[in-house]
Amino acid sequence: MSTPWDEFARICADVLKVKGEVRPITLDEKRDRLVVGEPGGPISFVHLMHARTEWEAAPLGARPRVLHRRFWSSIRNDTTATKEQVLRGVLPRVRDRAWFSAVRRQAELELGADETAIDEVMLPFAAINEELAAHLAYELPSSVTEIGPDRLKAWGMTFDQLLERAKDNLREASQAPWEEATPGVFVSPFHDSLDATRIVLPELFTSMALKGKPVFIAPTHDIVFVTGDDDPEGLQQIAVWTEEALLEPRAHTAIAFRLVDGKWERWLPAKGHPAFAKLKLLALQTTASAYSRQKEVLEALLESNGHEILVATLRAFRSPAGDVFTACAWQDGLEALLPQTDRIDFVRPGPGNTPSSAKVWSTTFEIARKTLGELMQPIGDLPERWRVKGFPTDAQLEQMALEGKL
């Protein structure tokens, strides 16, 4: 039987207090979260949906550990770590950049358009590539705390300085040999919630016995699979294992990255490769999840600001040839925020506004951007969305449909 929301929320609030949280905690059932803090001070938003799913799936004895692990970043204790403690315990933490983008929008929802106030509650981070970024946390015997601008200022340190020290600490904790699960396929041995974060140490992967350049995929924070980009069997194997690992509650990203000249790039093998279809589908799952989280926050923000703008849904389809592609709809008469997809369907409603009476033209996103630049503007979020106003002319629609067939 599912635990009632208010009961679970109070359990979570009690966990925060036991762990040393000293700020007031407010239950916000409408947005499925706890609000920790008060106006004028640092505020944390503790979202409960995923925590509740994992908590209810865990054995009774493991439930307290679930909540502690999920909520450690929100706790503010009375005690402040010394600079020496921080230098010993600081570690990097990797998240997808879409998470930082969504958190910033969430802060805008709570704090308004005050960029200074938003910056004060945002975690500084360093981009690893277009998909991932690293922030900082320090670990003490009884707590783990994310490092925001206020703490950096108190310690008189810059983010970049502390990030280098954090990498050194992680490097020291990364001496165990990687496990070769099958020939040419390696699995991380650490299982310390920092396995995925070791992507910030490219040198760990250059000495592995791989066929080609290292390919890295971390479906959860506790496990990483590595193989070579010239190893068809290895790539198929990590795709299968990634699909299985995504069933775990703490999913990270199913996007594959390849190490090129010391930098990680988002990567897929060539179309027709035996691992292409599964790796592409796995990456799409991550992208779709990010757009779904983003849609929820943007809709709440637009509603609070009184804007009637549609936040369009990313949809996935399979072609008759078996290829998977994404699409979104741009409807005449509606201002919208469109996800970046393979295809755009331009929809002109017909009499009675029924699906059967609508007229539809389809083209690729690239052709639409080239043709309709003045009608499509990026909003700067990750993953990117495009604000669209107006509607193409019939001549433009016919030309785009001709040029942009998938």
Side-chain angles (χ1 to χ4, degrees), residues 354-367:
T354 61
S356 60
S357 66
K359 189 169 183 179
V360 180
W361 297 261
S362 298
T363 190
T364 64
F365 204 92
E366 291 74 16
I367 293 297

Side-chain angles (χ1 to χ4, degrees), residues 76-188:
R76 294 292 181 99
N77 302 72
D78 273 330
T79 56
T80 301
T82 66
K83 184 174 180 178
E84 290 70 27
Q85 287 176 313
V86 171
L87 291 174
R88 286 196 302 269
V90 66
L91 289 164
R93 301 265 171 172
V94 166
R95 292 182 184 267
D96 59 282
R97 291 181 64 184
W99 180 86
F100 291 96
S101 183
V103 168
R104 189 170 191 90
R105 287 295 192 181
Q106 186 68 48
E108 183 181 349
L109 177 63
E110 300 301 326
L111 303 174
D114 186 338
E115 292 295 325
T116 300
I118 293 172
D119 287 341
E120 289 176 354
V121 301
M122 289 298 298
L123 294 174
F125 64 86
I128 297 170
N129 53 30
E130 293 181 355
E131 302 293 336
L132 302 174
H135 63 99
L136 296 171
Y138 66 89
E139 188 166 350
L140 297 174
S142 60
S143 66
V144 182
T145 304
E146 289 177 329
I147 296 175
D150 54 340
R151 290 188 169 96
L152 289 172
K153 184 177 180 180
W155 297 322
M157 302 183 69
T158 68
F159 174 83
D160 291 340
Q161 289 172 332
L162 206 50
L163 178 60
E164 290 308 308
R165 181 55 181 263
K167 289 181 181 179
D168 288 341
N169 290 343
L170 182 62
R171 196 173 284 113
E172 291 179 11
S174 303
Q175 302 304 310
W178 286 60
E179 301 165 1
E180 190 169 13
T182 63
V185 180
F186 292 82
V187 180
S188 58

